[in-house]
Amino acid sequence: MTTDILQAFEPLFYPRSLAVIGASTDMTKFGNIILSALMEIGFEGKIYPVNTDGGEVNGLKAYRSLQEIPAEVDFAILTIPAPAVKKSLEECLRKGVKGVEILTSGFRETGTPEGRKLEEEVAQFAKQGMRILGPNCFGIYCPESGLTILPGQNFSRETGPVGFLSQSGGLCADLGQITKGLGIRFSKMVSYGN
């Protein structure tokens, strides 16, 4: 790989800051589950919860929108309903977010014309230079930076020689748990969804 390609993917694996869009105080919602996992594993960058109600989520100040965040955001994790993803991607583009992970389902995998159309809209943002992972994925586990997938809050922070890519988030989550007990360590694990 060339240095340019590695640099292009740097914000996805080693973001200095990230926003969880759709962060929630409801512990059963993905917006809380992924935020909690990132905090528990010890993500080393700055975390900005985004919730339209503002306030506080898991002890962190929640911003009503991405634009309210008074700093750069390298990476955004979207946990919002599928119909709201396009608007959120527009905000990410305006904010200069370099990488986006879309945990949300409800796209091409539904087999509906609406789902396919929503996913085609997502693809248009990728053509504008934004790196997009998903939709319908569990995300990225990078022990070196402290990024983790659902529900990988107890994955090892020790990096290793194994890289793993999978469409299936469940497979990544299971493999991360199984291999932890076997002493196998990952450099990166990616659930890429659709």
Side-chain angles (χ1 to χ4, degrees), residues 11-88:
L12 270 72
F13 295 107
Y14 303 98
R16 292 166 294 159
S17 60
L18 66 81
V20 177
I21 300 174
S24 174
T25 56
D26 182 340
M27 294 173 54
T28 66
K29 303 266 186 191
F30 283 135
N32 186 283
I33 296 168
I34 191 64
L35 178 63
S36 295
L38 289 163
M39 293 172 75
E40 286 178 44
I41 198 169
F43 172 69
E44 294 182 0
K46 183 76 175 155
I47 300 174
Y48 301 105
V50 177
N51 179 300
T52 55
D53 294 333
E56 194 174 278
V57 179
N58 292 6
L60 299 174
K61 174 183 170 58
Y63 295 87
R64 288 186 170 84
S65 73
L66 195 60
Q67 304 310 318
E68 269 191 16
I69 298 171
E72 288 185 15
V73 175
D74 291 330
F75 190 60
I77 301 173
L78 278 56
T79 66
I80 54 179
V85 166
K86 180 181 177 185
K87 181 180 180 219
S88 187

Side-chain angles (χ1 to χ4, degrees), residues 13-182:
F13 295 107
Y14 303 98
R16 292 166 294 159
S17 60
L18 66 81
V20 177
I21 300 174
S24 174
T25 56
D26 182 340
M27 294 173 54
T28 66
K29 303 266 186 191
F30 283 135
N32 186 283
I33 296 168
I34 191 64
L35 178 63
S36 295
L38 289 163
M39 293 172 75
E40 286 178 44
I41 198 169
F43 172 69
E44 294 182 0
K46 183 76 175 155
I47 300 174
Y48 301 105
V50 177
N51 179 300
T52 55
D53 294 333
E56 194 174 278
V57 179
N58 292 6
L60 299 174
K61 174 183 170 58
Y63 295 87
R64 288 186 170 84
S65 73
L66 195 60
Q67 304 310 318
E68 269 191 16
I69 298 171
E72 288 185 15
V73 175
D74 291 330
F75 190 60
I77 301 173
L78 278 56
T79 66
I80 54 179
V85 166
K86 180 181 177 185
K87 181 180 180 219
S88 187
L89 289 173
E90 289 168 351
E91 291 175 1
C92 287
L93 201 57
R94 279 195 304 275
K95 184 74 174 171
V97 175
K98 297 171 189 74
V100 177
E101 174 183 306
I102 306 171
L103 294 179
T104 308
S105 61
F107 294 85
R108 186 183 68 216
E109 79 283 354
T110 64
T112 65
E114 296 83 13
R116 281 192 297 280
K117 182 179 183 291
L118 287 171
E119 192 157 328
E120 288 168 7
E121 290 172 349
V122 167
Q124 294 305 311
F125 286 92
K127 291 179 181 177
Q128 296 180 58
M130 191 183 322
R131 298 285 177 183
I132 298 177
L133 183 64
N136 189 33
C137 71
F138 274 9
I140 295 172
Y141 164 53
C142 179
E144 194 172 19
S145 67
L147 275 181
T148 195
I149 65 170
L150 291 174
Q153 70 271 19
N154 63 351
F155 283 11
S156 174
R157 282 297 304 269
E158 183 182 340
T159 192
V162 180
F164 186 74
L165 296 170
S166 174
Q167 180 278 328
S168 169
L171 180 60
C172 285
D174 290 346
L175 189 66
Q177 293 296 344
I178 292 166
T179 57
K180 185 174 72 170
L182 299 173

